[in-house]
Amino acid sequence: MELGYHRAGGTADLNLVTVARDLAAAVDRLDFSAPVSHVYNPLDYAWDAHAEYLDRFGGAPKEVLFLGMNPGPWGMVQTGVPFGEVGAARDWLGIEAEVGRPDPEHPKRPVTGFQCTRSEVSGARLWGWAKDTFGTPERFFNRFLIANYCPLAFMESSGRNRTPDKLPAAERKPLLAACDRALVLTVELLQPRLVVGVGAFAEGRARAALDGADIAIGRILHPSPASPAANRGWAGRATRELRELGVDLP
């Protein structure tokens, strides 16, 4: 699947780890203004855990790529794992690496890594569904991978989370360009038949970045507790939505 983006030096040396490193470097060069006061990049300070996740579970090909928006404050921000609620990342995936701290760090959004005691509900629901459906990480990752479209978490001075879609157009445009490129390369490497946006934003970015590619794109409901629908049996709904997209599930 050739989608038109190529890394300097060709594609022979491409793997998910190099794609992540290049993406981290690209977004680190960007600037963001108020009301954003702090920007966290877990691909920097939590790199060891993220690289372990990709090394252990990112082997190609995959049938389905799940795509989230960006890191949550108690998930990937803490562990470097997409939707990486501490319990799921440590106890089911078996990942527990040393995590540094962002600089500067927001006093209301500390990073304590795998010692974080708060649960990321979205991650607990998504990885909990994977565990309940497939039993072992090996059975899940044999067919699937979970990734985030954007690696950055944005915070306002109050500590409030600010999502990438709320950034000013002038700041959003170069960010989306870098993330689109990484998504295209990820799809070229994994060769999935289906990309599933976890929520509307991720689905929209997949459709934009992969426009013209011979690949199916769909969506499942985001497991956020802010969604009343997600609070009414999210796992069962996700299973139904995936089956409607043609995904064979146990």
Side-chain angles (χ1 to χ4, degrees), residues 202-214:
E203 179 200 19
R205 291 318 309 163
R207 291 191 183 279
L210 304 172
D211 184 38
D214 182 20

Side-chain angles (χ1 to χ4, degrees), residues 26-27 29-37 39 150 152 154 162-179:
V27 298
R29 292 191 289 267
L30 303 179
D31 293 316
F32 302 94
S33 60
V36 170
S37 63
V39 180
C150 172
L152 300 180
F154 303 93
R162 192 167 187 84
T163 52
D165 57 315
K166 300 298 193 299
L167 297 171
E171 296 175 4
R172 191 168 64 244
K173 183 176 179 180
L175 175 66
L176 298 185
C179 296

Side-chain angles (χ1 to χ4, degrees), residues 53 66-72 74-77 79-86 88-89 93 120-128 146-149 197-199 202 222-224 234:
Y53 172 75
F66 288 98
L67 189 68
M69 177 188 278
N70 73 315
W74 315 115
M76 186 173 176
V77 160
T79 66
V81 175
F83 287 89
E85 193 263 349
V86 171
L93 301 181
E120 178 90 341
V121 175
S122 295
R125 286 176 173 171
L126 183 55
W127 288 116
I146 298 174
N148 268 327
Y149 170 76
V198 184
H222 197 286
S224 169
W234 178 85

Side-chain angles (χ1 to χ4, degrees), residues 15-22 47 50-51 54-55:
N15 56 57
L16 292 183
V17 171
T18 60
V19 170
R21 280 197 183 279
D22 289 351
W47 173 253
H50 188 74
L54 296 179
D55 282 336

